[in-house]
Amino acid sequence: EKDGYEHFMLKEIHEQPKAIRDTLAARLKEGVVDLSREISLTPEELKRFDKVHIVACGTAYHAGLIGKSVIESLVRIPVEVDIASEYRYRNPILTPSTLVIVISQSGETADTLAALREAKQAGARVLGITNVVGSSVAREADEVLMTWAGPEIAVASTKAYTSQLIAIYLLGLYLARVLGTQPEEQLLEVTEALPRLSEQVKSILEDHGSIRKFAEKIAQHENLFFIGRGLDYPVVLEGSLKLKEISYIHSEAYAAGELKHGTLALIEEGIPVIALATQQAVHDKMVSNIIEVKARGAHVLGLGLEGRTDLDRSVDEHITIPETLSLLTPVLSVIPLQLLAYYTSTARGINVDKPRNLAKSVTVE
Ligand code: F6R
């Protein structure tokens, strides 16, 4: 059942090109995203929403952070993102013109479900993004957008996460088209780049020798840092969570500009820093942050875009992802981080698919 892979996690990492394709299929045709068969809200109803809340836990929450940027940039509606266990107890401001998006692979996470119920109770419309047909989220949400990643067995979520991102891009593009919030050409640019992601993920998976080597190095460490700016920031949060949960190595993910506000004090000789630099708009700022940690002795793995040669001069080790729009890089940049977590875990002899203390689906508070 592992199809020759040593672990479910590795199998599921390699299933991502297909999960992306399947999640896009039937929703994207000839450069147009159409969700009208799945989402029953009419254009008039969609126009009435004046804000969006995204609520989820763990990895799904990290997908939600990317969802905020995607929806805000494409749809120009304010989006708040909350951890479900916080949201349900913070008395959020919910009205009938709030669209609440809950994201849950299993569709059974207790806090996420409680948030869904609370939002419905308050009269908000709830859209669920889930991977399990017939799950509680699928049954109870007003609207459902399925991810088609197939069953995810490994505790550490991989293909469900990239599929959640695809669902979010589809939703953002659909809302933007229906509400007319972006020029057609701009939507077309994103819509045309989306289906290429599947092949691009495949190419990253085919060539990951340097990630494996770096994983063997960090397996000796007890502390490390991830840094990024813009959309790279939620991706490093996800990379750090993945590494913690299956390698038991402590790591922290920082918005790189925050380093000087305290954390830089922890950077000392030899500490590994994984730096993402895929966002064009903040590229030079990110390079300055890398130089800052290098000056304190950090050993830096830089992850940038193919064809940007200036990064390799400032880092100790350099890996690249294929070029795509800045908005879409999270689907690609998370792949090396998943592999890094996986190979670090195996280098440490940990039970990758079933890390200690964790359950696949958190159905109790
Ligand atoms: C981490 C991981 C968890 C889940 C979280 C939410 O790899 O898998 O953080 O993302 O427990 O689970 P779902 O998406 O099922 O609600």
Side-chain angles (χ1 to χ4, degrees), residues 146-160:
M146 294 300 301
T147 52
W148 296 112
E152 194 179 63
I153 311 287
V155 163
S157 181
T158 54
K159 62 176 181 170

Side-chain angles (χ1 to χ4, degrees), residues 43 82 141 143 147 179 182 194 205 216 239 331 349 359:
D82 272 87
E143 311 287 340
T147 52
L179 302 176
Q182 296 299 329
L194 261 185
L205 292 171
E216 277 152 20
V331 177

Side-chain angles (χ1 to χ4, degrees), residues 31-257:
V32 176
V33 174
D34 188 7
L35 301 178
S36 63
R37 280 181 307 268
E38 297 160 82
I39 292 178
S40 70
L41 290 161
T42 62
E44 288 64 41
E45 286 174 308
L46 290 172
K47 275 188 194 113
R48 260 179 251 135
F49 292 123
D50 57 11
K51 63 174 193 271
V52 175
H53 287 177
I54 304 181
V55 189
C57 299
T59 288
Y61 168 73
H62 296 151
L65 293 173
I66 292 161
K68 174 184 166 77
S69 296
V70 171
I71 293 172
E72 286 190 344
S73 72
L74 293 176
V75 196
R76 307 304 295 160
I77 288 185
V79 182
E80 285 181 51
V81 194
D82 272 87
I83 293 167
S85 55
E86 292 296 320
Y87 188 78
R88 60 183 292 196
Y89 297 116
R90 81 164 168 89
N91 196 12
I93 302 171
L94 285 160
T95 70
S97 54
T98 312
L99 175 65
V100 176
I101 302 175
V102 300
I103 309 176
S104 175
Q105 185 283 128
S106 63
E108 303 297 346
T109 298
D111 285 317
T112 308
L113 261 179
L116 178 160
R117 290 173 184 153
E118 168 121 353
K120 271 180 82 175
Q121 189 79 34
R125 282 297 268 270
V126 179
L127 184 147
I129 296 179
T130 182
N131 194 44
V132 180
V133 177
S135 62
S136 301
V137 165
R139 281 183 282 111
E140 294 187 34
D142 301 305
E143 311 287 340
V144 181
L145 193 54
M146 294 300 301
T147 52
W148 296 112
E152 194 179 63
I153 311 287
V155 163
S157 181
T158 54
K159 62 176 181 170
Y161 170 78
T162 38
S163 308
Q164 285 159 359
L165 297 184
I166 297 296
I168 285 163
Y169 292 123
L170 288 170
L171 182 64
L173 287 165
Y174 178 64
L175 294 177
R177 182 166 67 80
V178 174
L179 302 176
T181 49
Q182 296 299 329
E184 289 283 326
E185 315 84 71
Q186 208 201 318
L187 296 182
L188 195 63
E189 202 190 6
V190 185
T191 316
E192 285 179 343
L194 261 185
R196 290 202 283 272
L197 292 171
S198 169
E199 280 301 311
Q200 291 176 319
V201 167
K202 211 164 150 203
S203 76
I204 300 169
L205 292 171
E206 276 159 10
D207 173 28
H208 60 263
S210 44
I211 283 282
R212 197 174 178 157
K213 268 197 225 119
F214 193 73
E216 277 152 20
K217 260 185 225 164
I218 65 170
Q220 325 292 326
H221 287 259
E222 288 307 325
N223 276 297
L224 62 101
F225 290 91
F226 287 85
I227 56 174
R229 282 175 174 258
L231 274 177
D232 283 336
Y233 175 49
V235 177
V236 292
L237 287 172
E238 172 59 8
S240 174
L241 173 62
K242 212 98 299 180
L243 185 72
K244 277 182 275 221
E245 78 176 312
I246 60 168
S247 78
Y248 312 155
I249 294 173
H250 171 249
S251 67
E252 285 198 53
Y254 266 85

Side-chain angles (χ1 to χ4, degrees), residues 15 21 23 30 38 62 91 112 116 152 169 215 224 255 264 273 276 292 318 326 339 341 343-344:
E15 283 170 348
R21 266 198 319 274
T23 301
E30 285 146 26
E38 297 160 82
H62 296 151
N91 196 12
T112 308
L116 178 160
E152 194 179 63
Y169 292 123
L224 62 101
L264 205 51
V273 173
L276 262 60
E292 260 162 28
H318 182 220
S326 283
L339 290 165
Y343 286 118
T344 308

